[in-house]
Coordinates of all heavy atoms in Angstrom, one line a residue:
T133 N -54.3 86.6 2.2 CA -53.1 86.8 1.3 C -53.3 88.3 0.7 O -52.4 89.1 0.8 CB -53.2 85.9 0.1 OG1 -53.3 84.5 0.7 CG2 -52.0 86.0 -0.7
T134 N -54.5 88.7 0.2 CA -54.7 90.1 -0.3 C -54.4 91.1 0.8 O -53.6 92.1 0.6 CB -56.1 90.2 -0.7 OG1 -56.4 89.3 -1.8 CG2 -56.5 91.6 -1.3
A135 N -54.9 90.9 2.0 CA -54.7 91.9 3.2 C -53.2 91.9 3.5 O -52.7 93.1 3.7 CB -55.5 91.5 4.3
R136 N -52.6 90.9 3.5 CA -51.1 90.9 4.0 C -50.2 91.6 2.9 O -49.4 92.3 3.2 CB -50.6 89.5 4.3 CG -51.1 89.1 5.7 CD -50.6 87.7 6.1 NE -51.3 86.7 5.4 CZ -50.8 85.5 5.2 NH1 -49.6 85.1 5.5 NH2 -51.6 84.5 4.5
V137 N -50.6 91.3 1.6 CA -49.8 91.9 0.6 C -50.1 93.5 0.6 O -49.2 94.2 0.5 CB -50.2 91.3 -0.8 CG1 -49.6 92.1 -1.9 CG2 -49.7 89.9 -0.9
L138 N -51.3 93.8 0.7 CA -51.6 95.3 0.8 C -51.0 95.9 2.0 O -50.4 97.0 1.9 CB -53.1 95.5 0.9 CG -53.9 95.2 -0.4 CD1 -55.3 95.5 -0.3 CD2 -53.4 96.1 -1.6
Q139 N -50.9 95.2 3.2 CA -50.3 95.7 4.3 C -48.8 96.0 4.0 O -48.3 97.1 4.3 CB -50.4 94.8 5.5 CG -49.7 95.3 6.8 CD -49.6 94.3 7.9 OE1 -49.7 93.1 7.6 NE2 -49.6 94.7 9.1
E140 N -48.2 95.1 3.5 CA -46.7 95.2 3.1 C -46.4 96.3 2.2 O -45.6 97.2 2.2 CB -46.1 93.9 2.5 CG -46.0 92.8 3.5 CD -44.8 93.1 4.4 OE1 -43.8 93.7 4.0 OE2 -44.9 92.6 5.5
L141 N -47.3 96.4 1.1 CA -47.1 97.4 0.1 C -47.4 98.8 0.6 O -46.6 99.7 0.4 CB -48.0 97.1 -1.1 CG -47.6 95.9 -2.0 CD1 -48.7 95.6 -3.0 CD2 -46.2 96.1 -2.7
L142 N -48.5 98.9 1.3 CA -48.9 100.3 1.8 C -47.9 100.8 2.8 O -47.7 102.0 2.8 CB -50.3 100.2 2.5 CG -51.5 100.1 1.5 CD1 -52.8 99.7 2.2 CD2 -51.7 101.4 0.7
A143 N -47.3 99.9 3.6 CA -46.3 100.4 4.6 C -45.0 101.0 3.9 O -44.3 101.6 4.6 CB -46.0 99.3 5.5
R144 N -44.9 100.8 2.7 CA -43.6 101.2 1.9 C -43.7 102.7 1.6 O -42.7 103.3 1.3 CB -43.3 100.4 0.7 CG -43.2 99.0 0.9 CD -42.1 98.7 1.9 NE -42.2 97.2 2.3 CZ -41.2 96.5 2.2 NH1 -40.0 96.9 1.7 NH2 -41.4 95.2 2.6

Side-chain angles (χ1 to χ4, degrees):
T133 308
T134 302
R136 280 181 288 158
V137 171
L138 287 179
Q139 180 187 27
E140 287 287 329
L141 291 172
L142 284 167
R144 304 303 168 122

